[in-house]
């Protein structure tokens, strides 16, 4: 029982670390790309490859237990086709549409990666006081999402 609880905690922590760090590292590498107009397309290749990985493993066309265990809640391959897939699609969209010209992309990814990732951690830990219009979300999670996302976006 304790082993199962520890495994579940480690899996959730692993997923959140991947959630927070993947996108932020992706954006962190944007400055090293050249100023050419094609740079954003080269940058988008990385999330695109991961998008294909998620689709292939989400439909169980191939099996990658490491991927499934690191980014899913219950270890089901089909979970890859929801949150993780939307996540990489947003990375592609922000790179192609906003890139380094507009702060919208960086701010969006700061909120999605840093903010939403920390909201889960803080909300589960300190989220007793729920927000009025959504009993699944707490003030602790929502405030931490805003603060962390804001700090990362201006960082
Ligand atoms: C766990 C993830 C999303 C789940 O969101 P939710 O279910 O909590 O709503 C993140 C999934 C990450 C993805 C599998 C891998 C993304 C890698 C990224 C495109 C490239 C990283 C760049 C490298 C580290 C320089
Ligand atoms: N604003 C928020 C966001 C999440 N949370 C907590 O974090 C858990 C996961 O929320 P989430 O929205 O990140 O979960 P996903 O729907 O993204 O998988 C929730 O069930 C809440 O316990 C919170 O308390 N307040």
């Amino acid at each position: 029982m304790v082993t199962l609880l520890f495994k579940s905690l480690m899996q959730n922590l692993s997923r959140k670390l991947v959630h927070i760090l993947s996108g932020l590292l992706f954006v962190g590498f944007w400055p090293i790309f050249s100023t050419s107009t094609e740079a954003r397309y080269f940058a988008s290749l990385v999330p695109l490859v991961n998008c294909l990985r998620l689709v292939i493993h989400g439909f169980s066309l191939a099996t990658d237990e490491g991927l499934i265990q690191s980014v899913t809640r219950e270890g089901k391959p089909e979970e890859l086709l929801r949150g993780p897939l939307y996540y990489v699609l947003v990375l592609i969209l922000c790179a192609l549409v906003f890139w380094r010209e507009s702060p919208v992309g960086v701010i969006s990814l700061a909120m999605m990666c840093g903010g939403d990732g920390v909201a889960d951690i803080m909300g589960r830990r300190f989220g007793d006081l729920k927000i009025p219009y959504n009993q699944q979300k707490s003030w602790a999670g929502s405030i931490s999402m805003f603060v962390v996302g804001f700090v990362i976006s201006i960082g």
Side-chain angles (χ1 to χ4, degrees), residues 14-147:
S14 155
R15 192 168 67 81
K16 281 303 147 187
L17 286 176
V18 171
H19 185 133
I20 294 170
L21 296 178
S22 296
L24 295 183
L25 280 171
F26 175 59
V27 176
F29 280 99
W30 284 8
I32 69 173
F33 285 86
S34 73
T35 55
S36 72
T37 52
E38 295 77 19
R40 68 180 70 193
Y41 302 108
F42 284 108
S44 302
L45 288 177
V46 175
L48 180 62
V49 167
N50 281 275
C51 180
L52 296 174
R53 278 179 72 212
L54 291 171
V55 171
I56 290 168
H57 294 98
F59 285 110
S60 299
L61 302 176
T63 303
D64 181 346
E65 275 310 310
L67 174 66
I68 292 170
Q69 293 307 321
S70 61
V71 300
T72 63
R73 288 179 178 74
E74 299 166 13
K76 297 174 183 171
E78 55 270 23
E79 288 182 67
L80 297 175
L81 301 174
R82 292 196 297 271
L85 183 59
Y86 305 155
Y87 183 97
V88 294
L89 289 175
V90 169
L91 291 181
I92 294 170
L93 177 74
C94 288
L96 294 180
V97 174
F98 302 110
W99 191 230
R100 298 184 301 218
E101 284 97 25
S102 165
V104 172
V106 174
I107 293 170
S108 302
L109 294 182
M111 297 308 285
M112 181 184 79
C113 303
D116 185 50
V118 170
D120 184 319
I121 297 171
M122 297 299 286
R124 290 180 194 271
R125 181 88 170 76
F126 305 107
D128 296 335
L129 192 60
K130 305 299 183 186
I131 58 178
Y133 56 88
N134 185 339
Q135 289 305 303
Q136 301 305 312
K137 308 297 184 196
S138 65
W139 284 107
S142 304
I143 291 170
S144 56
M145 173 172 188
F146 175 77
V147 171

